[in-house]
Amino acid sequence: MTTPAAPVAGGPSLREVIRRSASYLERHGIERPRPEVETLLMHLLGTDRAGLYARRRGLDVRTAQALGRALCRRAAGTPLQHVTGEQQFLDLVLRVEPGVFVPRPETEGLVLAALEALEGWPSPAVVDVGTGTGAVALAIASRRPDARVLATDVSAEAVALARANAERLGLPVEVLRGDLLGPVPAELRGRLALLVSNPPYLDPEAYDDLPAEVRADPYEALVGGTDVHRRLAGAAVAWLAPGGWLALEIGDAQAGEVRDLILAALPGARVEVRPDLAGRDRVLLARAPGVPGSDARDLGAR
Ligand SMILES: C[S@@+](CC[C@H](N)C(=O)[O-])C[C@H]1O[C@@H](n2cnc3c(N)ncnc32)[C@H](O)[C@@H]1O
């Protein structure tokens, strides 16, 4: 039996701990110090924001020490998600690790657009290319239990982490290691309702100017320009079912270029660009010609 940890005798109230910790992070250049302290405390205390502010007592000694260590790591530039080891993505809490891209809130928009595209498509087959932690594939699998969801990544670390996340969340995503759709079973050619990806899309020239925290993600997960978009557009011809969807996250200046390369690879596709709440182009949806449910060969040359 473990004994409850002793409160810090005469220690500060929780509100005071939050205030002092936020001020410490602010002095170390952290832009949103208070929400970050709240996140650290929610993680350490295993509670949500309401639980945090309903708490009457201060911190016990062990938690106070753990908070001190976490604040030092954060002040030294370790990304918050690497300190807590987790990141919320839509309604899922995902494990994250150094060496694997940390899912971003922008990508939630890609998932919501993809789910909308899948509405009315029974038992869709879905592939998420470049899955990282598994964020996109897992979010789709959690909201579409009738879907068969596969995910690929070239990175062995990403594949191991995505598999661990799928197992922990009890979601049946098949995670495969390899380039683009290389490891996807051939029986799914011409049968995908959705090919979705948040590929590496930054330009190499932009890399050196990125904040250190962004550069904590692997280079190969960040930098790629429109190369993966182009290769995926080419692959879509062979892998999408008639009327199937290609859903891609894009850099905010890439919409025109990616639209053109999709139309070149997938003539007759309907392309739509979805801006985010700030009005930046972030998601591009393309629908292959053809009627869902018709023979895949109707799409022509494959
Ligand atoms: C920007 S991260 C996105 C990760 C995840 N989908 C997300 O949104 O959080 C891009 C991912 O694509 C993977 N990747 C890069 N090139 C790839 C390729 N040719 N085939 C498969 N995966 C690739 C990287 O390893 C990385 O995990």
Side-chain angles (χ1 to χ4, degrees), residues 226-231 233-234 248 256-266:
T226 54
D227 185 52
V228 177
H229 301 93
R230 183 182 47 74
R231 295 180 60 214
L248 300 174
E257 187 183 344
V258 177
R259 178 197 279 114
D260 289 350
L261 55 85
I262 287 176
L263 289 174
L266 206 56

Side-chain angles (χ1 to χ4, degrees), residues 89 94 99-104 106-108 110-111 128-137 152-156 158-159 176-183 196-201 217-223 227-228 231-232 249:
F89 185 78
L94 300 166
V100 180
F101 182 86
V102 174
R104 306 293 204 271
E106 300 91 279
T107 305
E108 294 177 349
L110 173 70
V111 171
D128 169 27
V129 168
T131 199
T133 57
V136 171
T152 73
D153 206 293
V154 276
S155 150
V159 166
L176 307 166
R177 184 172 180 206
D179 179 49
L180 301 191
L181 289 123
V196 60
S197 183
N198 171 22
Y201 58 71
D217 283 317
Y219 183 89
E220 311 71 47
L222 294 170
V223 175
D227 185 52
V228 177
R231 295 180 60 214
L232 280 174
E249 186 163 320

